[in-house]
Structures are given as structure tokens and as C-alpha cells.
Amino acid sequence: MNDPAPLWEVPADAFGRLMDVNVDGTVNVIRAFAPAIIAAGRGVIANLSSGWGRSTSPQVAPYCASKWAIEGLTRALAQD
């Protein structure tokens, strides 16, 4: 999670690191395991979000954005 601050005060590199871990990390794990799950014809992918994946709170916009991204990613993945 980012250090609490208004979005415009969150350094770009801190925002990027948070997205790298929360969003890109999730995508990388899916890429690693989805082919085997599909080949086996069974399995479950469970992604973790948070309450802020469906709501917001001041001073944690980057974290909220990353968790909203996981929510959308997971729903779209289920359709794939």
C-alpha cells in the first residue's frame, strides 16, 4: 500500500511499484498457471482484492486503483 497522501503527492515511482506488485504480479502468476489449469481441464484461480477494490478512501488512491484493477481483471479472466 502507498504511504497515505493525496494522489498528486504520491511519487510516480511509488505508484508504479504498487501497480507492479498488485496488478502486474497478479497477471504474471496467472500467466504462469493458467496454461496448466486449462490443459488439465480443471482448477481454480483465486485473486485477492480488498474492500477498497469496490470502494474508495482518501489518500490511498493508488491502492484503490490497483484493487479495482484486480476486480476487473478477474471478471474478464473468468470470461476468457
Side-chain angles (χ1 to χ4, degrees):
M1 191 164 118
N2 60 286
D3 291 329
L7 178 60
W8 58 90
E9 293 179 6
V10 176
D13 63 328
F15 186 93
R17 277 193 311 274
L18 189 140
M19 290 296 181
D20 284 347
V21 170
N22 289 357
V23 180
D24 295 355
T26 300
V27 171
N28 289 334
V29 171
I30 291 167
R31 284 186 180 129
F33 288 95
I37 289 171
I38 293 165
R42 63 188 177 98
V44 174
I45 295 174
N47 295 322
L48 300 179
S49 181
S50 82
W52 284 332
R54 295 182 180 204
S55 66
T56 59
S57 191
Q59 300 197 359
V60 290
Y63 184 79
C64 292
S66 74
K67 294 306 182 173
W68 281 67
I70 297 303
E71 294 278 335
L73 177 77
T74 301
R75 289 175 183 243
L77 176 64
Q79 293 175 339
D80 287 343

